[in-house]
Every structure is written in C-alpha cells, then in structure tokens.
C-alpha cells in the first residue's frame, strides 16, 4: 500500500500544479474576450479566430482544473443527504461513487475520445467558421483533461482506502458538509 500511496501523492502533485497553472487561462480568456469586444466596437472588425481562442482557453482551464477540483474535494454533491451520514459512511459513499460512477464514466469518455481525437489530428481538422482555428489542439486538451481526471480518480480511490484502513489521515476531514463539522457552532463554542 505504501507504493500506491506514493503514486497517489505524485498524481496529486502533478494535478495540483496543472490545476493552478491553468487557472490563469481564465484571465487570458477574459483579456482576449475584452480585446475582441473593444476591437469589434471601436473598429467594426471581428474575428472568428479570437472568439474561438477564448472558447479554447476557457475549455482548457475547465478541463485542466477538473482533476484538481476532484483532489480538493470541491465537486458538487448533495450534502443534504451526504452530510447526514457518519464520516465512515461518507468514506464508503465516496469510494463506491468513485469506483462505480466516476471511473466508468471517465473510461467511457477516454474510449470514445481517443479515436475522435486521432481522426481530428490525422485530418488536420479545421473550424468550419471563416477564419477559425484548427480544432485538433482543442480536442487533444479534452483528451488530456480526461486522462488527468482518470489518474486523479485512481489517486482518490487509493487515498480513500488508505484513510479507511487508518494508514493516512483524512485529507478532507475539515471540509464543509461533513458530519460533525459546523463552523458556526464551533465558533460559538457549541
């Protein structure tokens, strides 16, 4: 289990680095969007390439940060139900959710995306919009994002088993919505 936990830490470091780096793409996307809007209004000029570039940047940020978001335990869940259970039950819900929902979905996406991306690369696929960008780099980013999510899912499963076996501390013990953690009650000393 020690080797698996080391692998998990390596995956976490990589996805955290990528997740923090791609967050800057949101700023770049906003700047591209603002510049495009100013040029369009001030000079009555427009470019499909600039519009598509902001889509690519936003998509890259979203997909590049998905694995990091999973690592941070920030994906949406129904805390009304989840938070009512003990932490032990929550661990089982997370583990089974990762194994039976997250991983099959990610594997299906990887299975379907790989030929889709390869065809796009080999054909040199371009946007159908006049003056648009090439499409295969955006499709590669989509595939990379799902590979990141796959590896982060593996890491989360390893960590969850490690926590349940008492080998590591719960990295999300203080997360909001977990049973027994009420920041307002703690602040008031209740």
């Amino acid at each position: 289990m020690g080797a698996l936990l080391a692998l998990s830490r390596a995956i976490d470091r990589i996805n955290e680095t990528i997740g923090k780096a791609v967050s800057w793409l949101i700023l770049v996307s906003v700047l591209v969007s603002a510049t495009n809007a100013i040029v369009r209004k001030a000079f009555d000029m427009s470019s499909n390439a600039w519009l598509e570039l902001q889509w690519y940047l936003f998509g890259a940020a979203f997909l590049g940060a998905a694995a990091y978001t999973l690592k941070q335990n920030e994906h949406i869940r129904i805390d009304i139900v989840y938070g009512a259970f003990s932490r032990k039950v929550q661990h089982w819900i997370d583990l089974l959710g990762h194994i039976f929902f997250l991983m099959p979905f990610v594997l299906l996406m990887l299975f379907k995306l790989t030929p889709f991306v390869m065809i796009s690369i080999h054909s040199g696929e371009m946007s159908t919009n006049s003056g648009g960008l090439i499409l295969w780099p955006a499709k590669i980013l989509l595939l990379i994002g799902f590979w990141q999510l796959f590896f982060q899912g593996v890491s989360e499963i390893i960590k969850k088993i490690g926590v349940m076996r008492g080998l590591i501390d719960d990295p999300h013990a203080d997360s909001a919505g977990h049973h027994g953690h009420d920041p307002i009650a703690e602040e008031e000393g209740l």
Side-chain angles (χ1 to χ4, degrees):
M1 189 71 185
L4 290 174
L5 289 169
L7 173 65
S8 174
R9 286 190 297 275
I11 291 168
D12 287 354
R13 274 192 306 277
I14 291 167
N15 280 331
E16 184 163 346
T17 301
I18 293 169
K20 288 179 178 178
V22 298
S23 68
W24 287 99
L25 294 178
I26 297 294
L27 175 61
V28 176
S29 179
V30 168
L31 293 174
V32 167
S33 178
T35 302
N36 194 29
I38 291 167
V39 168
R40 188 174 56 246
K41 295 294 182 189
F43 303 106
D44 197 29
M45 295 171 48
S46 185
S47 167
N48 283 331
W50 286 102
L51 182 61
E52 290 179 8
L53 178 60
Q54 72 190 49
W55 296 341
Y56 289 12
L57 291 167
F58 181 77
F62 179 81
L63 292 165
Y68 175 64
T69 305
L70 179 61
K71 178 199 171 288
Q72 296 298 105
N73 197 33
E74 294 294 329
H75 280 276
I76 296 172
R77 67 163 61 86
I78 303 173
D79 280 339
I80 293 171
V81 174
Y82 181 85
F85 293 112
S86 71
R87 193 65 187 123
K88 183 178 180 179
V89 172
Q90 289 176 355
H91 289 310
W92 277 105
I93 291 170
D94 289 341
L95 180 62
L96 295 175
H98 291 337
I99 292 170
F100 293 111
F101 295 102
L102 174 68
M103 297 308 282
F105 170 72
V106 171
L107 288 170
L108 176 65
M109 291 305 296
L110 288 170
F111 177 75
K112 292 292 193 178
L113 274 174
T114 300
F116 177 71
V117 172
M118 297 311 290
I119 290 168
S120 183
I121 291 169
H122 291 298
S123 70
E125 186 178 10
M126 296 286 297
S127 172
T128 57
N129 295 320
S130 175
L133 300 175
I134 53 176
L135 290 178
W136 59 264
K139 291 181 179 183
I140 288 173
L141 291 174
L142 183 65
L143 186 60
I144 290 169
F146 274 102
W147 273 110
Q148 283 179 257
L149 197 55
F150 169 79
F151 285 114
Q152 192 60 47
V154 169
S155 175
E156 295 304 311
I157 290 168
I158 292 167
K159 287 187 293 192
K160 196 55 68 177
I161 293 169
V163 167
M164 293 168 71
R165 292 177 70 189
L167 300 173
I168 61 172
D169 291 332
D170 184 355
H172 305 296
D174 295 330
S175 296
H178 290 228
H179 184 49
H181 179 70
D182 183 353
I184 296 171
E186 289 174 5
E187 185 176 302
E188 295 174 359
L190 300 175

